[in-house]
Amino acid sequence: MFWVDEQNSGSRTITSSNNDDTQEILAYFTRSYCKNKRGTEMEEKILVTGGAGYIGSHTVVQLLEAGLSVVVFDNLSNSSRAVIDRISKLTGSKSLDFIEGDIRDRTAVRHALRDQKISAVVHFAGLKAVGESETEPLKYYDNNVSGSVVLLEEMMKTDINTIVFSSSATVYGNPEYSQYHEDTPPAPANVYGRTKLIVEDILRDLKKSQPSWRIALLRYFNPVGAHDSGLIGENPKGIPNNLMPFIAQVAVGVRQKLSVYGNDYPTPDGTGLRDYIHVEDLAAGHLATLQYLKIKPTLLTLNLGTGQSYSVLDIIKAFEKASGKAIPYEVVGRREGDLAEYYADPSLAEKILGWKAQLGIDRMCADTWRWKKNNPAGYSNIK
Ligand code: NAD
Ligand code: UFG
């Protein structure tokens, strides 16, 4: 098997047949990704849909720091324009553009792809509230599925064939085992998860019909944490659905106490176990994926998690340690649809990309706390 770097070094051909070589190749591309022969920056421009959101904004910072140009395309339905200013401040980069637009708006997507001379797309844009997806399914199918189809059709027309898609561990549903491997048959148990699986299926079909496409389906486990500058972080609107942002709001005094959803699960302390992954590790996974797709026209399906799970009580304790604040909580009934435990088998991502999550639970809590302490109202008080 041989891989050719078609876009970067032009003539370089790399012969490889095993994963040790992958490490070497990735190291080469990490060094040379953005440089041409004279050592100046290449015109690599990435369109990041949903780039003003939580995971998107952290990924944009790392893309800019790697020397890439970025166009954020976001309708700001769950984010703020202030994020873009924060990213500019953080990186000092002049290579960031922002387009306020909706992925379902064909003309806007076409202009963004064509006018900006985009080489690859990282597709975060989507709605993600599981409960809302059950009560407003059409909103989710329209936004997440129809929006993705419009984006892909316009990519096809503009000959852009590299895409990294934000999928989710939710696609697995409720399998027999708690450790999810990429081969675990997907069977999502809610509308949100089904929208993710449908887009995965669309991309798999696209790859079959257009073998030159370079596609990654990244299944995130539970993203938490924030950039260590305290300038960007998760900024949920209304009452947070998820554990870490809720705890952060309790710590900062916005909410009185946390409801722990059940302590009668078959787990060591009775509360739910999850694979929490630092958003900075997740962002690094996207950069590694883009680098890999650049050298290999393939379709990747990868878990991005740590492989380790923590209980709700573990997270409360770690957050109290990081913040020095007590987190009052009350145990209430189980939340419908919750599972006792699940976590990633992250070994395939390490084998293929050479990527592995580095940051532990203490860093996840410390960085979340720094962000929340510095921005108790999130971005809402920032012009
Ligand atoms: P987020 O809501 O913070 O970011 C999503 C961004 O997409 C927002 O800025 C929103 O304004 C934008 N957006 C939504 N619909 C759009 C549309 N039609 N056109 C243009 N922009 C649109 O969410 P996040 O946590 O950063 O998640 C990013 C992606 O990762 C989502 O696709 C989500 O489903 C997926 N994901 C998230 C998690 C998680 O727990 N955070 C877990 C697994 C997968
Ligand atoms: N929990 C509480 N109280 C809360 C919130 C959560 O006890 O106020 C518990 C839950 O019962 C669960 C754990 O904390 O045991 C984690 O819950 P989250 O809501 O933070 O995360 P989930 O695992 O339920 O789901 C999240 C996202 C999904 C995404 C999935 C990826 O909500 O969209 O992670 O694995 F797909």
Side-chain angles (χ1 to χ4, degrees):
M1 174 167 59
F2 67 91
W3 301 338
V4 183
D5 170 23
E6 297 116 64
Q7 291 161 314
N8 201 347
S9 59
S11 60
R12 186 179 155 99
T13 301
I14 299 157
T15 306
S16 173
S17 58
N18 64 46
N19 285 303
D20 291 341
D21 291 341
T22 306
Q23 304 304 318
E24 191 200 317
I25 291 159
L26 282 172
Y28 166 78
F29 279 100
T30 303
R31 288 193 303 273
S32 64
Y33 189 71
C34 319
K35 305 277 180 190
N36 65 16
K37 283 182 185 136
R38 293 186 302 279
T40 54
E41 286 194 356
M42 298 269 293
E43 275 301 306
E44 286 281 343
K45 229 183 214 188
I46 313 296
L47 185 83
V48 182
T49 74
Y54 172 45
I55 306 168
S57 56
H58 290 79
T59 304
V60 168
V61 168
Q62 290 197 20
L63 295 175
L64 291 168
E65 285 173 350
L68 296 160
S69 296
V70 173
V71 180
V72 168
F73 186 93
D74 198 304
N75 67 1
L76 303 183
S77 58
N78 197 36
S79 50
S80 156
R81 179 72 175 77
V83 177
I84 305 300
D85 301 331
R86 290 280 179 107
I87 296 173
S88 297
K89 186 174 166 188
L90 193 56
T91 59
S93 174
K94 302 264 180 282
S95 307
L96 174 64
D97 287 315
F98 173 64
I99 297 171
E100 185 172 347
D102 194 297
I103 50 166
R104 292 163 297 179
D105 179 346
R106 188 174 292 283
T107 311
V109 171
R110 185 176 311 160
H111 282 301
L113 292 168
R114 190 169 291 163
D115 301 350
Q116 299 281 342
K117 298 196 174 62
I118 297 298
S119 45
V121 175
V122 184
H123 179 27
F124 293 104
L127 301 174
K128 61 170 184 176
V130 172
E132 186 187 53
S133 77
E134 295 288 299
T135 55
E136 297 185 66
L138 294 181
K139 182 171 161 185
Y140 275 68
Y141 285 113
D142 179 39
N143 200 86
N144 294 5
V145 180
S146 306
S148 297
V149 171
V150 170
L151 175 67
L152 292 169
E153 284 173 344
E154 294 307 320
M155 285 176 68
M156 181 100 86
K157 285 184 201 153
T158 38
D159 284 331
I160 298 161
N161 65 0
T162 302
I163 184 165
V164 179
F165 172 61
S166 297
S167 189
S168 168
T170 314
V171 298
Y172 292 111
N174 187 3
E176 205 178 324
Y177 302 103
S178 306
Q179 188 180 35
Y180 299 169
H181 184 264
E182 289 81 353
D183 288 343
T184 305
N190 54 61
V191 171
Y192 166 66
R194 280 192 284 279
T195 67
K196 290 291 170 189
L197 185 59
I198 290 169
V199 178
E200 282 197 6
D201 284 338
I202 290 170
L203 286 163
R204 276 186 280 267
D205 287 341
L206 181 58
K207 175 70 183 169
K208 268 187 232 148
S209 71
Q210 306 280 328
S212 63
W213 274 63
R214 298 158 192 260
I215 297 172
L217 314 173
L218 301 183
R219 295 173 174 168
Y220 313 152
F221 281 67
N222 288 48
V224 295
H227 192 273
D228 66 2
S229 63
L231 282 174
I232 56 171
E234 189 169 10
N235 184 36
K237 287 187 177 161
I239 302 170
N241 291 314
N242 301 118
L243 181 65
M244 190 67 100
F246 201 107
I247 289 180
Q249 291 197 359
V250 173
V252 86
V254 174
R255 308 210 177 263
Q256 278 191 332
K257 65 178 175 198
L258 171 76
S259 295
V260 173
Y261 296 139
N263 64 354
D264 56 353
Y265 284 104
T267 60
D269 67 17
T271 67
L273 290 163
R274 293 289 181 277
D275 183 339
Y276 297 94
I277 175 168
H278 198 297
V279 67
E280 286 287 296
D281 278 329
L282 206 51
H286 289 74
L287 190 56
T289 302
L290 278 172
Q291 289 167 340
Y292 188 84
L293 290 181
K294 200 169 158 59
I295 56 173
K296 235 187 152 202
T298 190
L299 183 144
L300 294 174
T301 305
L302 296 174
N303 286 340
L304 293 186
T306 65
Q308 210 177 339
S309 64
Y310 289 95
S311 74
V312 177
L313 299 185
D314 290 337
I315 301 293
I316 294 174
K317 257 184 246 144
F319 206 95
E320 287 181 330
K321 189 173 131 202
S323 64
K325 302 277 179 190
I327 308 294
Y329 69 86
E330 178 190 9
V331 177
V332 300
R334 292 182 180 189
R335 184 171 65 178
E336 203 189 321
D338 272 354
L339 303 179
E341 177 180 23
Y342 63 85
Y343 57 101
D345 176 348
S347 55
L348 190 62
E350 184 176 6
K351 193 167 147 194
I352 291 192
L353 303 177
W355 169 91
K356 193 175 187 230
Q358 305 290 330
L359 304 173
I361 195 69
D362 290 338
R363 235 335 255 287
M364 297 178 203
C365 292
D367 289 341
T368 304
W369 174 236
R370 189 177 307 105
W371 153 248
K372 197 66 209 171
K373 188 175 50 154
N374 294 349
N375 307 271
Y379 298 110
S380 61
N381 59 347
I382 305 159
K383 293 226 165 57

